């Protein structure tokens, strides 16, 4: 079925179709419409699920942890300050190996209050152990929410997943999306069968004190599961493509990269917008491609290396690690070497048009990079 | 009321755990879990109760237990309850077991939220009147005048009244208890188990290293707290307040409480109280009894 | 998949009886079987047998039982090591 | 027309965002593969100026940025023209659609101008919220006259889908009235 | 005056001598003794300061923000979960440009609960905009607390500073430290004169909504101030050396690097321990040096590049960004290229001895690296 | 009581701000700031009050204002107060100005902490009974039966009673007020300014878009809330409870309140109440008046 | 150093009078100068002069003043634009 | 002796950590540039085994790791030898100092063994907490006899610095008694 709706409404629809047993979320602009929609699904009986009306995001994540640990699938959504307030519980969920799925609407951090898009919120969670996806269309939002459960709950992964997309730019923009039937979703995403749970027939204790003799192995296992998730994500993407005819290239979606001598690397809404820039530049005869980072955790080292083998990279970040640089640029350089061009653009909702991206390409060719429209230009 | 000898023999706090000798928490938890039984899921925030469990990969608790961040006991309980409900397991009791720090201070908001949204669980705050796990710092429950490592010259404020705050939430059941009255505690936990909705219980739990008294006096100290009226035992059921044990007489004015000095002087933490402080404490206590006398008459 | 799942175990901290400095000794002749010692033992180290049975493998020697025994049937003796 | 870009101007409470959404929905029903609608976000206050965008294309749309050089500008409330330059960026060959009882000839603008009395139609058709006429459905009705890639049938459908049978029909009728009544210079 | 005491007591002493007007902190192992000591200083009248006994770390940071914004110098200390709970307020303090100084005792993150050292707590705050120091001796803790105020409050910086050191390994270890007189400290660290404050004579509003037109410049300014902080840190270190005879090399402390063909890069307690490893290896004739990363934010790119010019690097991290690698290794590679060896060691308090570091060196020479004692060896 | 015409003319909420037409917050804040005057420092968490200020680099507030994270108003106030005290500026009033979401829910813990530790400040919760800034979601203050975008079929729980919780903290001053009674509100703010220690005030603030009523009715709605007894105005001073305005008669039983239906029916959010719901609301209200009648007699 | 410091400004959101759909018009003859309109105006748009003086540059036209005027001295008229 | 490494074994409440700290402090006063003392951390419970470490060197100490191969092992409570292998890692030429009334000859260990009746001395000198003898100060008094880089005068000083005049003198006297009474095999 083809629908046209905002990414938020489509995320809510996807969440509904994934049949979580417990939903717990707290409102924050620009995520609110997801929560509202899900509340409506539950109250109308369309979705059989417990909806916990928590008093903060910290409690939203804590209650997801409690519920998931009791053996059921859960869902939550947040943004920006809400995500930051969850920070401790994000670490907790990941180390507890609970495959919670969360949508985060990227929004800049205050003060001053900004409700507009940038990715500092989620990028600042890169060390928490969560898998991170970045979407660039409403269709992808739908597909990724469903896929995320398959990935998170996979026995080789068992880690929570955060699905990110740009506030307003996607969250409040209506676009068409093809929605499979509930039966199709059910057959793609079977019922959740947890690896561990609180169960009165098997009275385990989770999370008590762990000494230096054991701790490091637990962390190592978590890291290795992130590494294994790469294959799982690719497999799930492939299976999705087989069933529904849509693939996002697994970890990185490539566009006109095959013969490209320069590849623009970006993500989220900018990763979509750049299509138009590539087309424009190709028209001018430039051999440019686009690599859209769909997955930031686990970081796709191997794929990035492959791309860098034949092309120069221009990385466009919508975040800044103050005192360092854009986080994607850092991690890409740590993977493929320091010889790339890197831009920071679009912070706090500053609009980035395909013309801007074309301009960044031109600047890069003039051997310039940096903060676009602030420092350069 | 069940007799001591008839309390269940099942133990859910196992021998060989990491509690200090003479710990009040294990005494309290043993009794509460006897009342709630095997079909209980527990969530425990950072506290001595987290340490008592001993180290991974072993645990000294024999009911399923989720350890959770310091401030998140009640929120995680809401999640556990929702998941149980979604699975049709409505016969399992959800117990949040937290210290006073995790209840009066850093966990208050999660607690209040769970009470307001009607989570069907029992929240027990065992109150040792300080952060004992981190080495005796002041909490919102620390009484006026008590030494802690963050109130060297004695705490300047009176303690928060969390049970009163819980009552202000209009929940079906609030009860206070003392480890020195195990059958009363048992009965209250049993009753809480039967009531649907949010239940709040608070247990006074004197801690030998924190309060600075001899480890053999734990129960004696909890008894004296009640007998001096420094701690009141009561139940608040659907708006009706009833006092139990010695507290009844003290609040009603029909029983002369033991002098609170008896209790204060046994504790190293009150060593530096001035006579003035003691008089203030006595006035405050009287005021409290008076408040509750009126309250219990009316509500 | 590794996370910190622990299993209920007696002696999770080992035989905590070794922590003891004073040893509670029951005088059966005095005991009236009120089971106060049993209900108050913080260590679950007293079992309800014919008489209270102290498990010295785990008893930490806190002395609560002796303090609470209404008839002083439990004596605390200095542990000899 | 591979890509048509439309900007809506209105006031908080008038439904400019809904208008953009309706357009996208109707465009999808008219067979366009790429459609998109979104607001310029800020805290919307009743009476304060608002802006919304729509894109329509026969191929998938990858653009996510705002529209700076629209093909069509739709003005739901001419009052905001005092404070906002509504034709800023409008393409030379672009169109302005205005909610006004005036005729397009009366409007002095170097663009193709179309007018429709959406307020009048709303009042006539009794589509009011809190006594205030809702002009978004009528004005959308005028658009198929100005665009190749949009049919009035699809607009009707989109409206009825959104508001359901009863309210939908009423609004769709208003749209149709606008379709008939729009005047183009 | 020479004293011997734990790093925590020495940090408390330094904080006292910096004369903060407001202290607000919440206890957490292994930080507690700092808070206790400061409470004692205040109650005894030795330190004229307001001590706010907050109910959580979130409020500790929020009250520091309130106080600092009202124009006074503040101090706080935390660790691990306390730091994570502050996460939102860390971003806030930095964007508000408040030069708060905080000590963080590095401790591993749960579940399971671990009270032992690793640096995942502070590393996960690398994107918040705080400056980050890592200390390796009690003396350095003292010196850095004082220096931190100078750096944070410098008009080119105006950013908060986090001073990190290993839980127990330093926090509870007694070591000697030379303590200057209060007069000397006062002359080094003058009274605080804020760049902005809440003042009824000048009723500004701080932090209201900021639109896409302005936000990015605010972020840029913050990033540039981090960059400028590099010079300020080096200047302050130099001035300290002139006055008190102790220098830590500014951003990076080097040991036997001059003729080294291989340099071990580490930080914190491991950065001290490695001295012994270098000596041991030198005895064997290996040309090894040590670069101890004293400052992680701003990231010392230029200094790192210089070191890498003449030497191969072996980076030893006490943290893991799951799905990526050790964070220091990432950032170093992003700076000097991918051709380094990188180890992860000591998580959750696993002891790292100088022998272990020697062994890592040997492994690196065998072209191996990874998780020390888990994956390799 | 000061007459309306004698209220100070100074305005600290400037014209041309970002509030919706008919906003209750600006009405409340204008009056409170007239009472507190220029020497006030304000801290404001995320809420409509943050939006009303307008956009950087301009502000519509004319007293120094710190915006702070949603949950941190009271904690930041403790910091401001400590800094003022440390500088000897004890004549400046610290005002935390927060919505019900920031007070009943996410900011409750910080508030409770500040009350317990005795911060010398005024905390005002303007209560519009929902998260209005994010588009009308339920809060702990949302009344039973009210539609919000997270309670489509009406809220199932009764609202939390935050003033009651504040009173349980034993602070020197708690007051409730209504924007429809500006001289009462003014008097209370003035009094709060004079009292040392933590002061808690709560103001009912009907929000036209959130409650779904015509924007010209804001004040009328706030008045009806009082006249129907849906909102009670009182002061709690050092343990003594006094009711003000129409609330006095309603609580004492000497004044027949207007039927609450008058108030409910004007609001779109209550459109779907059943007759049963309305009866329940009436019972709950009666219960509340009865509770306060007793309470005010005793304390 | 840049942080979000804002300065008190009238018309921070511009002349909000343009938001108005209905315009309050005072009938001085009816006015009893009770100043209810002044105290309740959410916009601080009424000034205390001889009579209440509405600042149309900022009045958003909410109608609160008209609704609260005890003698109906304020009339709300549809704004003409 | 460039670096002496000492491990203390005791029980929670006996002051093993304090003993290590005292040693470090006294060593500093004895002219050593590098000194260090730290516990093996866990939650210390009264009666449960505890371990603490001290390092003494004539140059600055950069080591931050635990001590695995001590030069000296100090046993405050012989009871723990039932469950803990106290000489694990002790260097061949290492020393064991034990709190016991027994003579070193009675102790069968392939190391240099020294004994002192610290408990007896504590009782004798009335250094008791809650009725339990505190053995850390007396046992530290024995150490100067076993180490070149430590003087009994410095031990006295360190003790008095820590506990102040009154309690300090009492404890220092106990240390001195141990200094005199220690027996070495
Ligand atoms: C966010 C956070 N802050 C601080 C701590 C440190 N901490 C752990 S337990 C505790 C005190 C617990 O006190 P209480 O709840 O009264 O339990 P008790 O230790 O007395 O049993 C503290 C401060 C923590 N684990 N997490
Ligand atoms: C941590 C966090 N969570 C959520 C939000 C989003 N948020 C901002 S204001 C608000 C609601 C405020 O409600 P209330 O306090 O009642 O004030 P009102 O908007 O009604 O004035 C919410 C949910 C936020 N800013 N920060
Ligand atoms: S410190 Fe007190 S409460 Fe904590 S384990 Fe020991 S005795 Fe129990
Ligand atoms: S001494 Fe303590 S631990 Fe031992 S049996 Fe008695 S009560 Fe139990
Ligand atoms: S408390 Fe004393 S009398 Fe009672 S059972 Fe125990 S030993 Fe026997
Ligand atoms: S939504 Fe309500 S409270 Fe918020 S600004 Fe508008 S009228 Fe005021
Ligand atoms: S409310 Fe009416 S009568 Fe009173 S001053 Fe205003 S216009 Fe005049
Ligand atoms: S209509 Fe509203 S804004 Fe205008 S003057 Fe009247 S009360 Fe003020
Ligand atoms: Mg406690
Ligand atoms: Mg509100």
């Amino acid at each position: 079925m083809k629908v046209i709706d905002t990414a938020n409404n489509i995320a809510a629809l996807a969440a509904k179709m994934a049949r979580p047993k417990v939903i717990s979320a707290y409102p924050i602009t620009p995520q609110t419409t997801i929560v509202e929609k899900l509340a409506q699904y539950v109250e109308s009986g369309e979705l059989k699920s417990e909806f916990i009306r928590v008093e903060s995001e910290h409690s939203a994540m804590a209650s997801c942890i409690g519920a998931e640990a009791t053996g059921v699938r859960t869902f939550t959504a947040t943004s920006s300050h809400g995500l930051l307030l969850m920070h401790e519980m994000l670490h907790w969920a990941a180390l507890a190996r609970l495959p919670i799925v969360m949508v985060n609407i990227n929004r800049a951090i205050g003060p001053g209050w900004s409700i507009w898009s940038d990715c500092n919120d989620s990028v600042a969670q890169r060390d928490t152990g969560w898998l991170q996806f970045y979407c660039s269309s409403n269709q992808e939002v739908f597909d990724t929410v469903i896929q995320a459960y398959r990935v998170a709950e996979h026995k080789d992964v068992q880690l929570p997943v955060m699905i990110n997309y740009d506030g307003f730019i996607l969250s409040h923009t209506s676009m068409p999306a093809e929605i499979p039937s509930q039966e199709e979703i059910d057959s793609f995403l079977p019922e959740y069968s947890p690896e561990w749970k609180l169960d009165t027939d098997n009275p385990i204790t989770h999370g008590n004190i762990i000494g230096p003799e054991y701790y490091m192995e637990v962390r190592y296992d978590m890291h290795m599961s992130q590494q294994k998730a790469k294959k799982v994500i690719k497999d799930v993407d492939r299976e999705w493509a087989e069933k529904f005819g849509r693939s996002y290239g697994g970890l990185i979606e490539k566009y006109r990269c095959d013969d490209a001598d320069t590849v623009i690397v970006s993500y989220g809404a900018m990763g979509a917008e750049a299509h138009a820039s590539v087309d424009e530049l190709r028209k001018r005869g430039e051999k440019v491609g686009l690599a859209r980072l769909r997955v930031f955790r686990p970081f796709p080292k191997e794929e990035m290396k492959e791309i860098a083998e034949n092309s120069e990279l221009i990385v466009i970040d919508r975040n800044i690690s103050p005192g360092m640089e854009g986080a994607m640029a850092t991690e890409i350089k740590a993977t493929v070497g320091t010889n790339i061009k890197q831009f920071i653009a679009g912070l706090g909702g500053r609009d980035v048009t395909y013309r801007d991206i074309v301009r960044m390409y031109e600047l890069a060719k003039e051997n310039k990079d940096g903060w676009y429209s602030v420092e350069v230009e | 009321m069940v007799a001591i000898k008839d309390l269940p023999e099942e133990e859910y706090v196992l021998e060989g755990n990491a509690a200090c000798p003479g710990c009040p928490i294990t005494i309290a938890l043993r009794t509460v879990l006897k009342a709630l039984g095997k079909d209980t899921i527990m969530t425990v925030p950072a506290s001595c109760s987290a340490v008592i469990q001993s180290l991974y990969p072993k645990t000294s608790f024999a009911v399923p237990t989720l350890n959770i961040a310091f401030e998140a006991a009640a929120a995680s309980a809401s999640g556990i309850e929702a998941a149980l409900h979604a699975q049709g397991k409505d016969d399992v009791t959800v117990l949040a077991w937290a210290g006073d720090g995790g209840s009066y201070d850093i966990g208050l908001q999660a607690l209040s939220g769970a009470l307001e949204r009607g989570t069907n669980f029992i929240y027990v705050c065992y109150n040792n009147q300080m952060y004992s796990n981190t080495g005796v710092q002041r909490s919102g429950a620390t009484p006026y005048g008590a030494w802690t490592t963050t109130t060297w010259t004695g705490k300047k404020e009176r303690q928060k009244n969390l049970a009163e705050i819980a009552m202000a939430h209009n929940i079906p059941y609030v009860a206070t208890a003392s480890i020195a009255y195990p059958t009363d505690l048992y009965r209250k936990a049993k009753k809480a188990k039967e009531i649907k909705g949010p239940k709040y219980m608070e247990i006074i739990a004197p801690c030998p290293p924190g309060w600075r008294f001899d480890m053999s006096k734990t129960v004696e100290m909890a008894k004296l707290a009640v007998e001096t009226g420094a701690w009141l035992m009561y139940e608040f059921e659907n708006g009706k307040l009833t006092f139990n044990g010695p507290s009844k007489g003290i609040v009603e004015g029909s029983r002369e409480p033991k002098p609170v000095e008896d209790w204060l002087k046994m504790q190293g933490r009150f060593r530096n109280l001035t006579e003035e402080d003691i008089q203030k404490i006595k006035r405050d206590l009287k005021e409290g009894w008076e408040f509750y006398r009126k309250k219990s008459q009316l509500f | 998949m590794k996370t910190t799942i622990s299993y209920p175990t007696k002696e999770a901290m080992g035989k905590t009886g070794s922590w003891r400095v004073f040893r509670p000794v029951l005088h059966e002749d005095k005991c009236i079987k009120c089971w106060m010692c049993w209900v108050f033992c913080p260590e679950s180290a007293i079992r309800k047998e014919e008489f209270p049975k102290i498990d010295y493998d785990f008893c930490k020697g806190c002395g609560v039982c002796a303090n609470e025994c209404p008839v002083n049937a439990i004596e605390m003796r200095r542990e000899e090591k | 027309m591979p890509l048509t870009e439309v900007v809506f101007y209105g006031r908080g409470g008038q439904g400019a965002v809904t208008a953009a959404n309706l357009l996208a929905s109707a465009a999808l029903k008219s067979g366009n593969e790429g459609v998109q609608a979104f607001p310029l976000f800020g805290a919307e206050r009743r009476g304060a100026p608002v802006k919304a965008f729509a894109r329509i294309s026969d191929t998938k749309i990858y653009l996510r940025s705002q529209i700076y050089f629209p093909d069509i500008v739709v003005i739901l409330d001419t009052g905001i023209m005092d404070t906002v330059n509504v034709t800023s960026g409008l393409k030379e060959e672009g169109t302005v659609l205005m909610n006004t009882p005036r005729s397009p000839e009366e409007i002095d603008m170097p663009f193709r101008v179309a007018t429709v009395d959406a307020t009048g139609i709303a009042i006539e058709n009794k589509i009011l919220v809190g006594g205030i006429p809702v002009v978004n459905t009528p004005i959308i009705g005028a658009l198929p006259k100005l665009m190749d890639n949009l049919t009035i049938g699809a607009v009707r459908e989109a409206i009825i889908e959104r508001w359901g049978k009863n309210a939908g029909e009423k609004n769709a009728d208003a749209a149709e009235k606008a379709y008939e009544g729009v005047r183009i210079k």
Side-chain angles (χ1 to χ4, degrees), chain A residues 88, chain B residues 25 45-49 69-71 98-103 106 126 128-134 137 139:
Chain A
E88 184 193 8
Chain B
I25 300 176
S47 60
C48 278
S49 298
F70 193 17
E71 59 285 1
D100 51 301
S103 308
I106 202 167
Y126 63 88
N128 55 19
Q129 304 192 329
M130 35 115 216
Y131 301 165
S132 66
N133 180 46
T134 39
Q137 294 84 25
S139 83

Side-chain angles (χ1 to χ4, degrees), chain B residues 95-141:
Chain B
L95 170 66
W97 179 263
D100 51 301
S103 308
Y104 280 65
D105 297 340
I106 202 167
L108 175 67
Q109 187 157 295
L111 171 57
S112 174
L115 300 185
E116 190 260 340
R117 68 182 159 261
T119 297
N120 179 27
F121 77 137
I122 306 174
Y123 188 103
V124 177
C125 167
Y126 63 88
N127 184 354
N128 55 19
Q129 304 192 329
M130 35 115 216
Y131 301 165
S132 66
N133 180 46
T134 39
V136 197
Q137 294 84 25
R138 145 205 220 279
S139 83

